[in-house]
Amino acid sequence: MTNQTRPKIRRSRALGVALTPKAAKYLENRPYPPGEHGRGRKQSSDYKTRLMEKQRLRFQYDISEVQMRAAFDRANKHAGKTGDELVVDLERRLDAFVLRAGFARTVYQARQMVTHGHIEVNGGKVDKPSYRLRPEDIVGVRERSRTKPLFQVVQAGGFAAAETPRYIEARLDKLMARLDRLPQRREVPVICDEQLVVEYYSR
């Protein structure tokens, strides 16, 4: 798990994007960076703007810089738009899928579910959050974990978003979900100008 040295709310305010539902409430009341001079005008540059956008994307998936760079390198090998391919590559992560399918409330909780061995892919245990899913892969909660109170909340739709992304078929009552197809960038609910991220790594 990525080492979080700053509280998630402060990190959310610094990046201008809510990393947790709780942080969203704070951003509504304080939509500016934390600290004594958070409201003040700060000098910016092209580099700083691109760096900020890269950090925004990285922390929405809570991954390390090494993982982010590896995802960019994979995306850069595809024929499509590198920025779109980057977001799609990140969205194929198992922990991201667990979050989008409504099994978890935050990406941090999703990662914990995976690393603690509660999640299976196509009937086999997978405890690696970075595991990359393929279309038609079926993700579910392992049989031995289904009676836990946490997953009873999941079954009741307690963590489900208002709308499940169209590339996912979720059956929360059965604690299962399938990746029907790879997503399109416009369907992925992350806040980021991915072209600036591409420019950051291409500098």
Side-chain angles (χ1 to χ4, degrees):
M1 182 178 294
T2 302
N3 181 28
Q4 297 290 332
T5 57
R6 300 177 65 184
K8 295 179 182 66
I9 291 173
R10 287 181 61 85
R11 170 97 48 200
S12 296
R13 289 178 60 198
L15 296 173
V17 59
L19 300 177
T20 65
K22 184 178 180 180
K25 299 178 181 179
Y26 279 82
L27 277 176
E28 289 180 6
N29 297 326
R30 300 180 180 181
Y32 48 84
E36 182 180 353
H37 304 291
R39 297 193 195 200
R41 181 179 299 176
K42 295 185 177 181
Q43 291 184 343
S44 188
S45 64
D46 289 343
Y47 172 78
K48 185 175 180 181
T49 300
R50 292 166 183 156
L51 173 62
M52 176 65 75
E53 212 60 31
K54 186 267 295 182
Q55 294 292 76
R56 271 185 165 196
L57 183 58
R58 182 164 80 87
F59 282 104
Q60 284 178 82
Y61 287 96
D62 189 40
I63 59 176
S64 69
E65 179 59 33
V66 171
Q67 291 172 315
M68 184 73 172
R69 180 73 207 207
F72 172 79
D73 289 341
R74 286 193 298 267
N76 203 28
K77 295 176 182 178
H78 286 268
K81 291 179 63 176
T82 302
D84 291 355
E85 295 291 346
L86 172 59
V87 174
V88 170
D89 185 273
L90 294 172
E91 198 65 9
R92 289 176 60 189
R93 290 176 56 93
L94 179 56
D95 53 0
F97 182 90
V98 167
L99 172 64
R100 304 285 183 239
F103 290 176
R105 191 164 182 256
T106 67
V107 69
Y108 312 105
Q109 185 181 42
R111 173 156 309 143
Q112 191 175 61
M113 286 180 178
V114 176
T115 57
H116 286 190
H118 297 305
I119 303 299
E120 63 182 19
V121 179
N122 299 327
K125 174 185 171 182
V126 177
D127 57 8
K128 187 177 179 181
S130 61
Y131 180 91
R132 295 168 69 234
L133 297 170
R134 294 175 294 183
E136 300 188 6
D137 278 350
I138 296 175
V139 176
V141 176
R142 297 184 70 201
E143 192 65 38
R144 68 176 183 81
S145 302
R146 292 178 171 235
T147 57
K148 294 182 179 294
L150 173 64
F151 294 109
Q152 293 175 8
V153 173
V154 174
Q155 278 186 304
F159 299 145
E163 183 177 357
T164 304
R166 293 183 178 180
Y167 48 92
I168 295 174
E169 180 184 348
R171 291 293 305 273
L172 295 181
D173 59 327
K174 297 185 179 298
L175 294 176
M176 296 181 67
R178 184 178 71 179
L179 178 63
D180 284 343
R181 57 175 172 80
L182 294 181
Q184 298 179 26
R185 169 62 185 99
R186 66 176 183 273
E187 299 175 307
V188 180
V190 295
I191 301 171
C192 173
D193 184 341
E194 57 276 3
Q195 181 56 38
L196 292 179
V197 180
V198 173
E199 292 175 5
Y200 173 86
Y201 284 117
S202 301
R203 70 193 190 283

